[in-house]
Amino acid sequence: MSAAPLVGYSSSGSEDEAEAGDRVRPGAEGRSRGQSPLPGQRLPVPDSVLHMFAGTEEGPVDDSAQHGGRVRTFPHERGNWATHVYVPYEAGEEFLDLLDALLCHAQTYVPRLVRMEAFHLSLSQSVVLRHHWILPFVQALKDRVASFQRTFVGLEVTSGHAHFLDLVAEVDRVMEEFDLSTFYQDPSFHISLAWCVGDARLQMEGPCLQELQGIVDEFEDSEMLLRAYAEQIRCKSGNKFFSMPLK
């Protein structure tokens, strides 16, 4: 496989979502001391219990400043778990050296670019699962991908593309079973290296990407460096992770 080409793209939301929801403070109307409650009337709730829920009536505030300005693709809702299926990529020291060189140069065009904290290749969009669907969903994924072999990936996949399309087809079947959105049509499989708030494609296209590709091509042993075994598929649902090994 030749050194992988670099691509710039725009995304409308974050890939990483967390479970959250609204809590409603229990309300009650009490009568004066010594009087019996009327039929069907709720007993007063002790202040100590009410204070347990202080400040939570409106649910958590989604402050984009807490996650670098990124905006969630869907709002928090109690019982909903953001879910994403992907192939993890474990970055080695040489890969990170290459990434530092790329980011340093790219920031001369887009200074607000930030390096990704973790690397992966997506096999699904971010979708919402109810909590009681998580284990059946993961089991369905395991059943679908059990027979798949491992393969090679780069920054943008230049070999094994058909194999990943087969994987996505199986993930899509599970999505359809749970009435969830399937993956994009004609996807370009890639590993994200950096991100920024806003659409910076105009700054990245043309000379910037060409120069970054030159850095990749000239980097020592880049062809071997950008190869990696895809040994497992991972499903992240809220704060839970599930791994499915590939043969």
Side-chain angles (χ1 to χ4, degrees), residues 28-138:
E29 294 182 0
R31 293 171 60 82
S32 61
R33 182 182 297 179
Q35 290 183 296
S36 300
L38 296 174
Q41 185 179 19
R42 293 180 180 179
L43 292 171
V45 179
D47 288 343
S48 59
V49 175
L50 290 176
H51 292 160
M52 292 171 60
F53 301 94
T56 63
E57 295 99 328
E58 301 300 324
V61 176
D62 189 11
D63 184 359
S64 61
Q66 294 182 358
H67 11 162
R70 288 173 289 183
V71 179
R72 297 182 183 278
T73 54
F74 37 77
H76 288 295
E77 185 176 339
R78 185 176 179 81
N80 283 355
W81 292 60
T83 302
H84 178 222
V85 183
Y86 60 95
V87 174
Y89 175 74
E90 301 297 333
E93 184 176 348
E94 291 182 333
F95 176 86
L96 296 177
D97 289 342
L98 171 58
L99 178 53
D100 286 341
L102 292 170
L103 187 60
C104 183
H105 189 84
Q107 286 172 334
T108 64
Y109 287 86
V110 185
R112 65 184 185 276
L113 278 172
V114 179
R115 193 175 85 172
M116 299 294 292
E117 296 178 0
F119 307 96
H120 65 265
L121 186 147
S122 292
L123 297 178
S124 80
Q125 300 188 57
S126 288
V127 296
V128 175
L129 277 181
R130 301 297 292 175
H131 184 266
H132 59 277
W133 287 355
I134 294 176
L135 292 182
F137 179 85
V138 171

Side-chain angles (χ1 to χ4, degrees), residues 111-179:
R112 65 184 185 276
L113 278 172
V114 179
R115 193 175 85 172
M116 299 294 292
E117 296 178 0
F119 307 96
H120 65 265
L121 186 147
S122 292
L123 297 178
S124 80
Q125 300 188 57
S126 288
V127 296
V128 175
L129 277 181
R130 301 297 292 175
H131 184 266
H132 59 277
W133 287 355
I134 294 176
L135 292 182
F137 179 85
V138 171
Q139 186 59 53
L141 279 176
K142 289 180 178 179
D143 293 342
R144 287 287 182 183
V145 305
S147 62
F148 276 85
Q149 306 292 324
R150 65 183 67 176
T151 189
F152 290 103
V153 300
L155 280 81
E156 182 180 28
V157 172
T158 55
S159 66
H161 188 273
H163 192 83
F164 277 102
L165 285 176
D166 291 340
L167 269 176
V168 166
E170 297 301 330
V171 174
D172 278 351
R173 289 188 177 97
V174 176
M175 294 293 180
E176 290 169 347
E177 290 177 19
F178 288 81
D179 198 24

